[in-house]
């Protein structure tokens, strides 16, 4: 385990921001679609300075997004955490293919849409994972799922096949849907509830930054149905 991984942490402030500590680098991550409307890649922009500690907005109303500007206090934001603190493997759906197993925790979906591949959905591709091309596409689809809803497993070894992320944060923008997305937390950064209890550590997950999720602190894709667009004084930070 790296030193960064030991010190990096996100602490949820009651009805307030996410306090990020441990020099965690942050980039803007934009979903890029092809001409058929298929999400095909992530575009990363280095527009945020490295800081030892910073507070990220969770209520969706900051005028200096993605950073907190104290607006949560003025609006009486209710950030009550309703998500399970249990393990990802509590009750995901399991799809078993000839070479891969896919687990799918649907309640974590952040609607990033990389699971719909040009060869088919990751579910069908898993069922046809005897084909190396389909197997690779199913794995890539799971890797590109920022919420960690989908995890591919090696059927022979029983081990998860996960992207080797270092601790880092991505601020998701989704111009095709004309919305701002959640906070992408990568590399197994521990998340601590406002009551001090830890959430299960996962390689990647998405924290709500629109304030509308019904599964706080995690994103449940409400930012799409609510048409959330982050406000900022720095136009390089958003859509
Ligand atoms: S950012 Fe996705 S539900 Fe809030």
């Amino acid at each position: 385990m790296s030193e960064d991984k030991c010190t990096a942490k996100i602490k949820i402030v009651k009805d307030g921001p996410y306090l990020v500590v441990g020099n965690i680098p942050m980039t803007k991550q934009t979903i890029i679609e092809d001409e058929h409307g298929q999400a095909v890649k992530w575009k990363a922009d280095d527009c945020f300075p490295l800081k030892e500690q910073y507070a990220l907005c969770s209520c969706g109303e900051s005028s200096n997004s993605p950073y907190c500007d104290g607006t949560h206090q003025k609006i009486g934001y209710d950030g009550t955490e309703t998500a399970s603190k249990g393990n990802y493997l509590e009750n995901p759906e399991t799809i078993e293919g000839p070479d891969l197993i896919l687990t799918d925790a649907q309640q974590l979906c952040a609607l990033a849409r990389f699971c719909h591949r040009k060869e088919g959905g990751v579910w069908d591709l898993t069922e046809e994972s005897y084909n190396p091309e389909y197997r690779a596409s199913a794995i890539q689809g799971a890797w590109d799922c920022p919420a960690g809803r989908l995890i591919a497993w090696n059927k022979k070894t029983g081990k998860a096949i996960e992207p080797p992320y270092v601790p880092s944060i991505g601020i998701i923008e989704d111009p095709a849907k004309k919305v701002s997305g959640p906070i992408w937390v990568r590399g197994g950064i521990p998340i601590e509830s406002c009551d001090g209890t830890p959430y299960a550590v996962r390689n990647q997950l998405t924290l709500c930054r629109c304030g509308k999720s019904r599964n706080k602190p995690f994103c449940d894709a409400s930012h799409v149905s609510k048409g959330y667009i982050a406000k900022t004084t720095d136009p390089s930070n958003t859509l």
Side-chain angles (χ1 to χ4, degrees):
M1 187 180 281
S2 72
E3 192 176 323
D4 277 351
K5 216 166 188 170
C6 293
T7 57
K9 182 165 117 175
I10 297 176
K11 164 84 183 160
I12 299 170
V13 177
K14 182 171 167 41
D15 299 326
Y18 306 113
L19 191 57
V20 181
V21 298
N23 265 315
I24 304 176
M26 184 166 75
T27 53
K28 179 167 80 169
Q29 296 282 339
T30 303
I31 297 172
I32 304 296
E33 288 189 345
D34 65 11
E35 65 275 20
H36 307 296
Q38 166 66 55
V40 288
K41 66 177 179 182
W42 289 99
K43 176 173 174 284
D45 292 297
D46 261 331
C47 51
F48 303 107
L50 187 63
K51 297 183 194 176
E52 193 333 274
Q53 179 170 316
Y54 47 94
L56 294 177
C57 172
S58 67
C59 73
E61 297 296 331
S62 170
S63 296
N64 188 33
S65 183
Y67 300 108
C68 171
D69 71 350
T71 299
H72 59 278
Q73 286 178 324
K74 291 183 205 143
I75 64 173
Y77 174 60
D78 177 1
T80 302
E81 297 168 50
T82 51
S84 164
K85 295 190 176 74
N87 191 287
Y88 165 87
L89 289 173
E90 268 177 350
N91 58 357
E93 187 185 346
T94 300
I95 295 92
E96 196 164 332
D99 198 73
L100 279 183
I101 291 173
L102 184 76
T103 47
D104 180 358
Q106 293 178 34
Q107 75 277 12
L108 298 174
C109 183
L111 219 59
R113 313 183 298 287
F114 289 93
C115 46
H116 305 291
R117 320 289 297 169
K118 70 175 173 358
E119 306 88 349
V122 290
W123 307 270
D124 291 348
L125 293 170
T126 298
E127 287 177 348
E128 297 179 50
S129 53
Y130 54 80
N131 178 324
E133 192 184 329
Y134 291 174
R135 179 183 189 277
S137 189
I139 292 171
Q140 190 62 53
W143 283 27
D144 283 334
C145 172
R149 163 186 168 176
L150 299 163
I151 297 180
W153 304 76
N154 184 313
K155 190 168 178 180
K156 290 190 191 79
T157 65
K159 291 198 171 140
I161 309 169
E162 293 198 285
Y165 289 129
V166 294
S168 55
I169 285 178
I171 300 298
I172 295 178
E173 295 293 345
D174 190 350
K177 292 280 183 199
K178 297 188 172 55
V179 294
S180 300
I183 298 166
W184 185 5
V185 178
R186 297 167 297 202
I189 300 171
I191 312 281
E192 187 181 300
S193 165
C194 69
D195 67 10
T197 56
Y199 283 89
V201 172
R202 292 192 277 133
N203 186 44
Q204 56 178 341
L205 57 87
T206 45
L207 292 173
C208 174
R209 74 167 168 135
C210 73
K212 305 286 193 248
S213 173
R214 291 148 299 175
N215 190 38
K216 292 187 181 76
F218 304 120
C219 169
D220 72 350
S222 292
H223 61 276
V224 179
S225 57
K226 303 290 184 189
Y228 169 63
I229 297 179
K231 293 177 263 182
T232 179
T233 50
D234 182 349
S236 70
N237 290 352
T238 59
L239 298 173

